[in-house]
Amino acid sequence: MRLCLQCYFDVGATYGLDDSFFRKSAVPDIRKVGIWNALGEGVRFNLATERPRILEVWRAEAVAKVEDPDMELGFLAESALPEENETRRKRFLAQARAAVEDVEIARCDVTLFAIGTAFLDLELGPTIPLPFLRAVHRCFEYAAYMPAISSALVAFAREKLDEEARGAGGQALKRLQTLTRRPEPKTPADESGYEEWHLITGFTPVALCIDPSDRPDAVLRAVEPLATPGAGGERFVPVVFEYHGTLHYNWSACVVEPRPAENRIDEPRDEMERILECIRIAHTFLGTCEAYENLVLAETIEKAGAFLRDEAGGLDTRALNRLRTVALAVVGLTSFAPITQSGEDQAYFALFEANARIAAKHRLIQDRCDILYNVQSAETAAEESARAAQDERQQRRLNAVLLVLTNLTFISILADSYTFLESDEHHLIPSMTTRSLVLVGVVVALLGVFAGLQLLFRSGRAR
């Protein structure tokens, strides 16, 4: 039996929406899998060969967890005598420590997706004693939450994605990364100084019954303490994949049982690939939705807060439109419906959705995008109002200048009129009477123009 500890975590930024970002992506064997992740297949790395030091530190932290008094490793006190229970407890912890120290790390694959989500699959076994399955699982899980492991995992993921990004995208890629930068994982510490990173939200143990000596019923009993009861009290819900085996599903733990030996065409692990791909897709979708839920929440808080404070803050209008477009694209890409029409695949996705509530996360992302849009519309309206007020002030200044110029012109005309009437020599119109009538007509016309400008100026002030 192999124990796979699977999880997802956020790399912190988006590099693209599909595999076009990568030089070479991980293409699954179509004959064994036959379905594709809408976010792409990503690129896969073996941590055991790429960063063996991380696994060494991870195991050391897991061994140290055996002695942590807060860890529940599965020991049950069966005697009424405290000294006997203490003896049994010490024996149990010694055996649990040996199980954690000796367990083989068969592989540790990290699959990176351009959207900025990583999927980790740590395979342990096959020599895990079933009574200590819980101890091995919990020690390795809680060791991964330590800053030394979490920081190393996210640093490795970012390094590999940055290597893929060299020469790809240029400034456009940098703008996309800046636009989709998520808040850094929190690192809370308690009063004693103990720290845990909030990079990984949890591990799903998946037991693979692929060894000839494995008895699925015994493995189910051993994994049962890790599983949470369902609504009807059941621990596992079986999903039968006709050509791939049976997935015993639980939100907290799963067991994959191969087809009967007489029905197999390939090795059990090869036949299980479709089931494992469904699990990978489901966890990748959930991790991506959580990342974008956090991203739009952070931007909503920043933008709405700045709007309430009546100050500039957050992304500008153009960047905000781009962010909303990417977020809504993620909503469309992380839907289970288009992946496959197979009833067995959709049966698993329906069970997973009932717990993960990805559709609810879609609504949250959309609702927060609507809030961003409303804030953006309010800001645009405020900017247009301010621009209109500025235009009105400029129009008033122009009206005032025109009025002053008109008054000066009127004064100049009155002065010329006096000169016009003063002398009889050298006039085109020698008659004083005729000159007076012409002058009166000109003055009346000017007074009409002057009155019209006054009305125009007053109406501009009224508006």
Side-chain angles (χ1 to χ4, degrees), residues 148-171:
I149 308 302
S150 290
S151 61
L153 289 174
V154 74
F156 169 78
R158 290 173 178 174
E159 176 186 333
K160 290 301 180 182
L161 284 175
D162 288 340
E163 287 178 2
E164 290 286 337
R166 289 174 185 170
Q171 292 300 318

Side-chain angles (χ1 to χ4, degrees), residues 228-410:
T228 54
E234 73 283 354
R235 294 279 179 171
F236 296 99
V237 177
V239 181
V240 179
F241 290 74
E242 184 177 1
Y243 299 105
H244 309 284
T246 300
L247 171 64
H248 298 272
Y249 171 80
N250 184 278
W251 173 244
S252 302
C254 296
V255 176
V256 183
E257 177 185 351
R259 293 196 294 171
E262 60 271 16
N263 296 337
R264 293 178 200 158
I265 299 175
D266 281 321
E267 293 297 318
R269 179 189 289 278
D270 293 335
E271 291 194 343
M272 292 175 180
E273 277 301 314
R274 172 109 173 196
I275 300 175
L276 299 179
E277 181 64 17
C278 284
I279 296 174
R280 187 179 299 112
I281 290 173
H283 283 76
T284 303
F285 281 12
L286 177 57
T288 301
C289 288
E290 287 183 356
Y292 269 80
E293 186 182 354
N294 292 333
L295 172 61
V296 294
L297 173 61
E299 183 59 29
T300 299
I301 293 173
E302 173 68 21
K303 201 69 176 176
F307 180 73
L308 291 174
R309 295 190 298 270
D310 194 20
E311 61 185 33
L315 301 174
D316 59 26
T317 299
R318 184 170 182 272
L320 205 56
N321 283 333
R322 294 178 64 224
L323 175 61
R324 291 174 54 245
T325 300
V326 175
L328 294 176
V330 166
V331 169
L333 291 171
T334 53
S335 174
F336 290 125
I339 294 176
T340 173
Q341 299 301 316
S342 171
E344 54 201 27
D345 299 322
Q346 290 296 336
Y348 163 70
F349 290 141
L351 290 171
F352 187 86
E353 168 62 19
N355 296 117
R357 297 176 59 81
I358 290 179
K361 296 184 184 300
H362 287 169
R363 289 192 295 273
L364 278 175
I365 293 173
Q366 292 169 330
D367 290 345
R368 286 168 182 166
C369 284
D370 288 342
I371 293 174
L372 291 176
Y373 176 77
N374 291 336
V375 172
Q376 179 183 352
S377 299
E379 285 185 340
T380 302
E383 290 174 359
E384 291 178 352
S385 177
R387 192 179 301 114
Q390 183 177 4
D391 291 344
E392 183 180 352
R393 288 193 294 271
Q394 291 177 349
Q395 185 63 40
R396 287 179 181 176
R397 294 191 190 101
L398 179 60
N399 289 342
V401 170
L402 289 175
L403 185 61
V404 170
L405 292 176
T406 302
N407 288 330
L408 292 174
T409 302
F410 188 67

Side-chain angles (χ1 to χ4, degrees), residues 8-272:
Y8 56 83
F9 61 88
D10 184 15
V11 179
T14 291
Y15 295 74
L17 297 180
D18 56 23
D19 287 337
S20 60
F21 164 75
F22 298 114
R23 292 191 292 265
K24 184 179 179 181
S25 60
V27 180
D29 190 331
I30 298 174
R31 293 171 299 175
K32 298 175 183 176
V33 180
I35 57 175
W36 291 268
N37 189 334
L39 297 174
E41 300 303 324
V43 289
R44 193 170 301 168
F45 300 94
N46 185 350
L47 207 62
T49 57
E50 295 280 346
R51 293 290 189 279
R53 178 58 182 166
I54 295 179
L55 295 181
E56 293 173 7
V57 176
W58 195 345
R59 185 193 293 272
E61 293 282 3
V63 172
K65 286 293 180 183
V66 175
E67 305 300 330
D68 188 336
D70 294 327
M71 295 291 292
E72 297 181 3
L73 304 181
F75 172 75
L76 298 175
E78 297 179 354
S79 174
L81 299 176
E83 58 274 12
E84 289 185 7
N85 282 329
E86 181 62 19
T87 301
R88 289 182 61 255
R89 189 186 69 84
K90 289 181 179 179
R91 187 185 309 117
F92 175 87
L93 291 179
Q95 293 172 320
R97 182 185 183 91
V100 175
E101 286 179 335
D102 299 339
V103 67
E104 176 188 352
I105 298 180
R107 62 182 175 84
C108 184
D109 291 336
V110 179
T111 306
L112 304 177
F113 297 88
I115 200 69
T117 303
F119 178 81
L120 185 147
D121 186 3
L122 174 68
E123 182 179 316
L124 305 173
T127 58
I128 304 176
L130 291 182
F132 297 97
L133 190 65
R134 180 177 182 177
V136 171
H137 155 240
R138 291 183 68 85
C139 287
F140 272 93
E141 175 179 358
Y142 280 84
Y145 302 149
M146 303 298 291
I149 308 302
S150 290
S151 61
L153 289 174
V154 74
F156 169 78
R158 290 173 178 174
E159 176 186 333
K160 290 301 180 182
L161 284 175
D162 288 340
E163 287 178 2
E164 290 286 337
R166 289 174 185 170
Q171 292 300 318
L173 176 60
K174 290 182 179 179
R175 287 195 296 269
L176 177 60
Q177 290 176 273
T178 301
L179 179 71
T180 59
R181 187 79 61 192
R182 273 85 80 176
E184 287 294 313
K186 295 179 180 180
T187 56
D190 59 19
E191 294 179 354
S192 65
Y194 176 79
E195 288 184 327
E196 281 189 358
W197 264 41
H198 287 178
L199 174 70
I200 301 171
T201 56
F203 282 82
T204 300
V206 180
L208 306 181
C209 302
I210 60 177
D211 297 312
S213 60
D214 287 341
R215 294 173 48 220
D217 56 341
V219 174
L220 278 167
R221 287 194 298 271
V223 177
E224 190 173 17
L226 306 179
T228 54
E234 73 283 354
R235 294 279 179 171
F236 296 99
V237 177
V239 181
V240 179
F241 290 74
E242 184 177 1
Y243 299 105
H244 309 284
T246 300
L247 171 64
H248 298 272
Y249 171 80
N250 184 278
W251 173 244
S252 302
C254 296
V255 176
V256 183
E257 177 185 351
R259 293 196 294 171
E262 60 271 16
N263 296 337
R264 293 178 200 158
I265 299 175
D266 281 321
E267 293 297 318
R269 179 189 289 278
D270 293 335
E271 291 194 343
M272 292 175 180

